[in-house]
Amino acid sequence: MTINEVMSKLEEMGTEQTKRTFVRHGAKEPLFGVKVGDLKKLVKDIKKDQGLARALYQTGNYDAMYLAGLTVDPKTLTKEELQSWVVTAYCSGIAEYTVASVAAESPYALELAREWISSSDEMVATCGWSTYGNYISVTPDDLLDIAEIRMLLQQIQSTIHQEQNRVRYTMNMFVIIAGSSVAQLLGEATEIAASIGKVQVHMGQTACKVPLAVDYIAKVEQAGKLGVKKKTCIC
């Protein structure tokens, strides 16, 4: 498939209803409004052409950018490419899912997560926290820097309520992931989750809610899934 053929296909698959939903979540023109489930129908073919996967992100079209994240091979992306991706990740859907998921499975996951977390740009920082959280969710415990994760948990406990809007959301998710994906951090993460309590995040004109970290971690433990790692964070 050529880039023009893919874009035409995306336009055919889009609906005004889905487009309005994405806009409420922060997406902007250009976009067609293609459901993620429908995007996945194109994954197999596009994965065969990594140049095409990269070209999709460069279009600036929300649906194409998301599809790029589903199809690009994270192991082949350069650090410079990921840096260029995060700069154009203008909304949470692209920053927290597309870029963060791909970055988390790239060779530069920790290097970029650390750099992005310290950014004053809201979307870059939120991408950083999401990248690190995703990395934790797919990485065996013996390969994790537990001391650094503990330090980040302490940082979250001290600063979360003063951070920028979406940064608060991804910090809260980081606590959840650390507590539920790393068994030895359960106690500390649970204490910190209880300490920070309810995190206020403006979710726009959506029905989305911010999960209460202490309850979420408890549910994972009760379900017997504590410490279970994901095969991939790309979805």
Side-chain angles (χ1 to χ4, degrees):
M1 298 178 76
T2 67
I3 185 68
N4 288 336
E5 288 172 338
V6 177
M7 296 305 290
S8 295
K9 185 65 176 176
L10 291 175
E11 186 171 12
E12 292 173 9
M13 298 168 77
T15 68
E16 284 301 317
Q17 181 179 355
T18 302
K19 184 175 180 178
R20 287 193 295 270
T21 298
F22 288 168
V23 168
R24 287 197 296 271
H25 283 80
K28 300 176 183 177
E29 294 283 1
L31 76 160
F32 302 125
V34 185
K35 294 179 180 178
V36 175
D38 289 333
L39 289 178
K40 290 181 177 180
K41 297 174 183 177
L42 302 174
V43 167
K44 185 177 180 180
D45 289 333
I46 295 175
K47 271 190 173 181
K48 299 173 184 176
D49 187 343
Q50 286 296 297
L52 176 57
R54 286 164 165 79
L56 286 169
Y57 194 88
Q58 299 302 319
T59 64
N61 176 285
Y62 178 89
D63 306 288
M65 293 170 81
Y66 203 103
L67 180 57
L70 296 175
T71 53
V72 76
D73 180 355
K75 305 300 183 186
T76 68
L77 284 168
T78 66
K79 185 170 70 172
E80 290 72 26
E81 284 177 310
L82 288 165
Q83 292 282 32
S84 69
W85 278 35
V86 79
V87 169
T88 51
Y90 67 87
C91 68
S92 60
I94 300 298
E96 296 171 23
Y97 295 94
T98 297
V99 179
S101 297
V102 170
E105 295 190 19
S106 78
Y108 311 100
L110 288 181
E111 181 181 352
L112 291 175
R114 292 164 180 152
E115 177 185 329
W116 294 343
I117 281 172
S118 64
S119 175
S120 60
D121 182 286
E122 181 180 4
M123 284 299 108
V124 175
T126 196
C127 187
W129 285 104
S130 190
T131 296
Y132 207 131
N134 281 325
Y135 175 79
I136 292 172
S137 74
V138 297
T139 303
D141 289 355
D142 60 345
L143 298 180
L144 296 173
D145 187 335
I146 301 298
E148 180 175 60
I149 296 171
R150 285 186 168 124
M151 180 189 69
L152 291 171
L153 287 170
Q154 291 295 326
Q155 178 181 336
I156 291 170
Q157 184 178 30
S158 300
T159 68
I160 187 169
H161 296 295
Q162 289 77 50
E163 295 288 349
Q164 297 180 84
N165 192 59
R166 289 304 301 191
V167 178
R168 296 196 296 273
Y169 184 85
T170 46
M171 278 183 158
N172 187 64
M173 291 305 302
F174 185 94
V175 174
I176 289 172
I177 294 170
S180 57
S181 296
V182 187
Q184 64 182 297
L185 293 176
L186 172 63
E188 294 164 71
T190 298
E191 288 181 8
I192 288 172
S195 173
I196 65 178
K198 185 175 179 58
V199 178
Q200 299 292 338
V201 179
H202 177 60
M203 305 297 284
Q205 298 178 332
T206 74
C208 297
K209 296 181 179 180
V210 182
L212 191 63
V214 69
D215 288 351
Y216 198 108
I217 294 171
K219 288 179 181 178
V220 172
E221 183 179 16
Q222 290 164 9
K225 296 182 179 180
L226 185 67
V228 175
K229 300 292 182 174
K230 296 179 180 179
K231 292 183 178 180
T232 180
C233 54
I234 296 173
C235 60

